[in-house]
Amino acid sequence: MDWNTHTVTNQVDELRDADLLALDPALQQHLQRLGADWALPGLHAYGTALGRRETFEQAAQANAAGPVLQRFDARGRRIDDVRFHPDWHALLTLLRGQGWMARPFADHRPGRWAAAAAGMLLHGQVEAGTLCPATMTQAAIPVLRRDPALWAWLGERLLDPRHDPSDRPIDAKPSIWLGMGMTEKQGGSDVRANTTTATPIGGPDSAEALLRGHKWFYSAPSSDAHLVVARAAEGGLSCYLVPRWRPDGQRNAVRIQRLKDKLGNRSNASGEVEFEDAWGLRVGEPGRGLPTILEMATHTRLNCVLGSTALMRAGLVQALAYARGRQAFGRPLAQQPLMRSVLADLALESEAALVLALRLAQAFEDAEGPAPDPLARAWQRLMTPAAKLWVCKRAVAQAGEALEVLGGNGYVEESSLARLYREAPVNSVWEGSGNVMALDLLRALGREREATQRLWDDLAEGCGDEPRLRAALTALAPVWQRPTDAAEGQARRIAQRLVLLAQAVLLRRHAPAAVTEGFLATRFGPDTAGIFGALAPAALDVDALLERALPTQA
């Protein structure tokens, strides 16, 4: 007897086996505009490798298995070894081998930061956890380059394109990964409340110290070394490089207590550690640990924006591909008027995040070197925290909306959208919550008056005579002139308005009319949406927006 009760029809598989860059006309055009056209062949090859079905399966396996902590070896020796699924290492090998992580510092061609950002954007659409060690390693490079001795020791190993997963002393490895440790139980975001102490070895002026204390969140604890903030003997906070192995070849006294059981980002390890007189080497000036580590944090915040933009793009692509193939009520979902409003809104949000993320990446490039661009410095300092707040939070909402397009098929663990949804909140939490970012923006507006004026002038020029943008700019004028104590309670609102204005200006300069007009109509009109898709379709060229988001012939 044949027990088949039905034939499976009208089911749409997730989009696989495609060049992720070829699917994204906007990213290609913005890269060419930013002078990174030389990177397009390599990025296309990378997009093809990432887009393979096998790579998506590796990402799923790395997240399903997760890291495992083995504190002791078979004979009771303390090893604090974090073990990963082989697919984690395969993904790190792929990521590091392309050179995107080191590109901004190993290359001098214009567009190098945009090219590196594009590599991160493509990778984050498939697997986000591996971006964590890559982000922190990249962010540590400009800090360590300031110290000639440290750079002579570590520089080549940081720029090397190989992934070496072995647990050995730094001197025995061709390449290394770096992490960071700031957060303690009692302080959280208030790093000034840290109690971990650093006692100098060999005299009060020695750069070597023994660290005693704890870190409540120790990012990527399997890394070869971490940058850590500790309270030095003179009472101030200093920054220290704390390796897994001491210079004498012995394991350093960094004891991993446990790995965090996280909501998302499950392929990547985050730990709690105790320092039991762990050896560390001071980085930067004594007592200047916060400015040193915050320079690193500024770079990681950029990558939070990039990572969230990648998640938004990934959700949009899968939602749109599904809606084009899925039939409902006699026609494809993508032809249903209300679904078209949702998809068009997701497309607008995605490109607005993209153009802002790439503008910030370009600002990091233009703000470095012997003659830094003051305007780039203004974008870097003021817009990075604001963008991190807004884009990372919008990614959470967009992930939920993209999942909903697939219905129950998006909510089950076989779907990459379920993992994407759990992944999305991490970038809002990591490297400073939304409140921390909003208050950082207010501080910058109040203290860095030259940068504030330059950014204002640039936005004013970009607004032109567009009445909706001029009105939005005028509304920001009071806090722009000098933030008051009363502004603190409105800091999130200020950041939101600033980011939307900046995105509109960038789209007006660099995006097609359908994108620009759609964004203005839905973000600055009299009936702006509170949820995705709650807008007037007449204001949108939906066909143009969806074709740009995912070309039908790609």
Side-chain angles (χ1 to χ4, degrees):
M1 181 179 293
D2 184 1
W3 287 101
N4 287 331
T5 60
H6 69 286
T7 301
V8 177
T9 61
N10 197 28
Q11 287 284 355
V12 182
D13 293 330
E14 292 189 13
L15 183 61
R16 298 288 186 266
D17 294 320
D19 172 3
L20 300 185
L21 181 59
L23 299 179
D24 196 344
L27 179 55
Q28 295 177 69
Q29 291 167 17
H30 292 309
L31 287 171
Q32 292 174 330
R33 172 178 60 81
L34 292 168
D37 49 322
W38 52 267
L40 287 173
L43 287 167
H44 275 293
Y46 193 42
T48 299
L50 287 168
R52 292 197 302 260
R53 185 175 304 273
E54 294 78 9
T55 310
F56 277 94
E57 290 173 355
Q58 287 178 327
Q61 286 297 318
N63 279 272
V68 176
L69 173 62
Q70 183 170 345
R71 291 192 182 89
F72 302 94
D73 69 8
R75 296 297 176 263
R77 289 178 286 265
R78 187 80 186 242
I79 57 175
D80 290 305
D81 188 20
V82 183
R83 300 189 173 180
F84 294 86
H85 191 277
D87 285 336
W88 163 269
H89 292 297
L91 290 162
L92 277 182
T93 298
L94 178 64
L95 173 59
R96 187 148 190 169
Q98 299 298 313
W100 307 120
M101 182 190 77
R103 181 74 63 188
F105 312 102
D107 201 323
H108 297 288
R109 284 177 287 186
R112 60 190 177 277
W113 272 93
M120 297 287 194
L121 285 166
L122 293 172
H123 192 94
Q125 294 177 44
V126 180
E127 208 292 301
T130 38
L131 291 181
C132 178
T135 288
M136 291 184 296
T137 301
Q138 183 190 71
I141 290 174
V143 173
L144 296 173
R145 283 199 307 181
R146 300 183 188 279
D147 188 315
L150 276 175
W151 188 248
W153 179 30
L154 303 175
E156 290 186 5
R157 294 177 173 89
L158 291 169
L159 300 179
D160 194 287
R162 290 169 288 183
H163 167 52
D164 181 356
S166 65
D167 186 10
R168 297 181 291 167
I170 287 174
D171 288 341
K173 301 188 67 169
S175 65
I176 58 173
W177 296 98
L178 296 186
M180 65 191 305
M182 291 191 291
T183 307
E184 297 186 2
K185 296 183 184 76
Q186 73 286 346
S189 297
D190 184 5
V191 180
R192 289 181 175 84
N194 282 8
T195 60
T196 296
T197 60
T199 303
I201 304 172
D205 296 328
S206 174
E208 296 184 58
L210 296 179
L211 277 67
R212 184 174 297 181
H214 80 281
K215 295 296 172 184
W216 184 232
F217 279 91
Y218 205 59
S219 296
S222 60
S223 297
D224 299 284
H226 285 73
L227 288 178
V228 170
V229 174
R231 194 165 298 281
E234 65 274 13
L237 290 169
S238 293
C239 181
Y240 294 88
L241 179 81
V242 181
R244 278 181 62 80
W245 293 78
R246 295 166 56 102
D248 60 8
Q250 300 299 309
R251 286 188 179 274
N252 208 358
V254 180
R255 310 303 188 199
I256 304 176
Q257 302 303 305
R258 63 171 176 169
L259 301 183
K260 299 289 193 181
D261 187 7
K262 296 174 292 184
L263 166 69
N265 201 246
R266 299 186 70 86
S267 67
N268 175 49
S270 302
E272 300 169 22
V273 302
E274 297 282 342
F275 301 127
E276 300 177 359
D277 285 344
W279 182 88
L281 188 63
R282 191 179 64 238
V283 179
E285 300 177 23
R288 297 283 297 167
L290 281 182
T292 300
I293 205 75
L294 286 176
E295 180 183 356
M296 183 178 177
T298 297
H299 287 77
T300 58
R301 288 168 181 173
L302 168 64
N303 278 10
C304 286
V305 177
L306 292 169
S308 290
T309 302
L311 295 176
M312 293 167 76
R313 173 67 189 171
L316 168 64
V317 167
Q318 296 302 336
L320 182 49
Y322 185 89
R324 284 174 173 167
R326 176 79 169 177
Q327 297 282 326
F329 309 109
R331 52 181 170 171
L333 273 176
Q335 294 180 14
Q336 306 281 352
L338 188 53
M339 179 59 74
R340 285 165 60 81
S341 292
V342 172
L343 294 170
D345 211 355
L346 294 178
L348 288 169
E349 194 72 37
S350 179
E351 183 155 355
L354 172 65
V355 73
L356 178 58
L358 290 177
R359 177 63 183 92
L360 291 177
Q362 187 62 38
F364 275 71
E365 179 173 319
D366 294 341
E368 64 184 23
D373 178 5
L375 178 59
R377 172 76 177 82
W379 274 86
Q380 181 188 46
R381 177 63 189 93
L382 279 80
M383 288 303 310
T384 301
K388 183 192 178 297
L389 184 158
W390 180 250
V391 174
C392 295
K393 289 193 177 299
R394 294 298 284 170
V396 178
Q398 179 138 342
E401 200 66 61
L403 181 154
E404 190 175 329
V405 173
L406 277 67
N409 287 338
Y411 197 69
V412 296
E413 285 297 330
E414 289 92 337
S415 165
S416 66
L417 276 293
R419 173 161 50 87
L420 186 154
Y421 184 70
R422 286 186 281 104
E423 188 76 33
V426 69
N427 289 321
S428 281
V429 175
W430 192 46
E431 298 304 346
S433 64
N435 284 357
V436 172
M437 294 299 96
L439 295 175
D440 189 32
L441 169 63
L442 282 190
R443 278 194 300 273
L445 290 173
R447 295 175 182 176
E448 305 202 21
R449 300 306 300 166
E450 180 182 353
T452 297
Q453 187 61 50
R454 288 184 182 275
L455 182 58
W456 176 271
D457 292 342
D458 189 40
L459 293 176
E461 187 276 331
C463 290
D465 58 359
E466 214 298 321
R468 292 164 291 186
L469 296 185
R470 298 302 304 185
L473 186 70
T474 301
L476 280 171
V479 71
W480 210 264
Q481 292 165 3
R482 179 71 66 178
T484 64
D485 291 341
E488 183 172 323
Q490 296 293 313
R492 284 188 175 216
R493 182 181 179 88
I494 293 164
Q496 172 184 326
R497 287 181 169 182
L498 174 59
V499 172
L500 289 173
L501 180 63
Q503 288 177 324
V505 164
L506 292 170
L507 292 173
R508 196 163 182 259
R509 285 172 172 164
H510 307 302
V515 178
T516 303
E517 291 305 317
F519 191 81
L520 289 173
T522 56
R523 272 65 176 174
F524 294 87
D527 186 26
T528 54
I531 58 175
F532 284 106
L535 44 82
L540 306 177
D541 185 345
V542 175
D543 288 336
L545 290 173
L546 299 187
E547 184 64 22
R548 181 170 174 82
L550 184 64
T552 51
Q553 301 302 316

